[in-house]
Amino acid sequence: MDVYEAIMKRRTIRRFKDVPIPYEVLAKCIDAARLAPTGRNLQLLDFLLVDDERLLSEVFPTIASWAQTPRPSGPPPGHRPRAYVVIMIDTVREKETGGSRRSTQVDAGMAAENLILAALEQGIGTCAILSAVESEIRQVLNIPAKYEIGVVVAMGYPDESSITEVYTTVTKPYLDEHGVRHVPKRKLEDVLKRNKL
Ligand SMILES: Cc1cc2nc3c(=O)[nH]c(=O)nc-3n(C[C@H](O)[C@H](O)[C@H](O)COP(=O)(O)O)c2cc1C
């Protein structure tokens, strides 16, 4: 699968098979994330991999919203993520190096996409998550105050499929009667501006 094909194919997955992901597969995803571009090459991100069975069940309830539906929502037991990666910003090193939060937040997004594409190539579905309740996930995972949580990526072998369709009036993805998610995307000609506006 080439990179463009992977990008076209990728859709968020929120329902997973109850199959553990080998550590080597997960480590490869984080390896891809660590090589993403970072502002001034400061590399102020650390990656907390959660794949312990008990912790997985403790992280899940900290997620406040799945597919824009407030908790309790999201996949039922037996279909929940089999790993999470918490992409964390080291705010102490950020201060020491004169890094800016704007830059490190962009870094976190770039790292997340690298991770997501490396996962896709290995057959793993992902869901980027910003709605993890910070105080709760911190407590569950012992994350010290020096880290700001950039984004969490939920991972697992896909147990749903998703169709990309052309956006007309709503951007919100929806499920059809077969449980297939439709994800409206704006057309290239609507988003691509060339030279001056
Ligand atoms: C910054 C960011 C935060 C997100 N947070 C959540 C979240 O908290 N819960 C969730 O179910 N999906 C979340 N998503 C996934 C989006 O809902 C999803 O990317 C969007 O619906 C488009 O679908 P696609 O990824 O299949 O293109 C997030 C995505 C991004 C980029």
Side-chain angles (χ1 to χ4, degrees):
M1 189 186 327
D2 68 24
V3 177
Y4 180 77
E5 189 190 339
I7 290 166
M8 290 294 128
K9 192 175 157 196
R10 183 212 64 81
R11 297 274 65 84
T12 289
I13 297 296
R14 298 184 181 82
R15 185 183 168 94
F16 304 97
K17 292 188 177 137
D18 203 12
V19 175
I21 309 171
Y23 174 77
E24 297 67 36
V25 170
L26 294 165
K28 192 172 173 184
C29 295
I30 294 175
D31 201 27
R34 82 181 165 88
L35 291 176
T38 63
R40 291 169 53 209
N41 199 30
L42 288 176
Q43 304 173 67
L44 298 168
L45 304 174
D46 287 319
F47 303 89
L48 176 59
L49 168 63
V50 182
D51 63 348
D52 172 82
E53 203 78 46
R54 190 178 57 82
L55 286 176
L56 289 176
S57 66
E58 291 181 29
V59 169
F60 182 80
T62 73
I63 298 167
S65 161
W66 287 93
Q68 302 172 60
T69 308
R71 65 182 174 185
S73 63
H79 297 281
R80 291 180 174 165
R82 294 303 312 235
Y84 297 93
V85 176
V86 184
I87 301 183
M88 307 177 301
I89 297 167
D90 185 333
T91 63
V92 171
R93 285 182 51 231
E94 184 185 68
K95 205 168 177 191
E96 284 167 1
T97 55
S100 79
R101 189 58 48 88
R102 181 159 178 249
S103 176
T104 45
Q105 282 171 344
V106 173
D107 295 348
M110 294 219 164
E113 184 69 352
N114 267 22
L115 187 148
I116 283 167
L117 291 176
L120 176 70
E121 191 184 31
Q122 299 181 91
I124 308 292
T126 53
C127 181
I129 290 171
L130 264 197
S131 69
V133 177
E134 180 136 357
S135 57
E136 297 177 16
I137 197 166
R138 256 184 208 292
Q139 200 247 321
V140 166
L141 299 175
N142 273 343
I143 299 174
K146 76 165 185 168
Y147 286 118
E148 176 179 303
I149 295 171
V151 57
V152 177
V153 181
M155 308 176 73
Y157 291 99
D159 194 31
E160 67 174 358
S161 56
S162 187
I163 293 176
T164 310
E165 64 183 26
V166 174
Y167 158 85
T168 48
T169 52
V170 283
T171 56
K172 191 171 176 179
Y174 61 93
L175 289 177
D176 68 19
E177 65 274 23
H178 307 294
V180 175
R181 191 177 306 279
H182 294 246
V183 186
K185 295 289 184 185
R186 293 170 68 203
K187 287 194 271 184
L188 177 63
E189 55 268 38
D190 291 341
V191 299
L192 194 164
K193 322 286 176 196
R194 197 165 188 197
N195 299 323
K196 276 192 165 189
L197 287 184

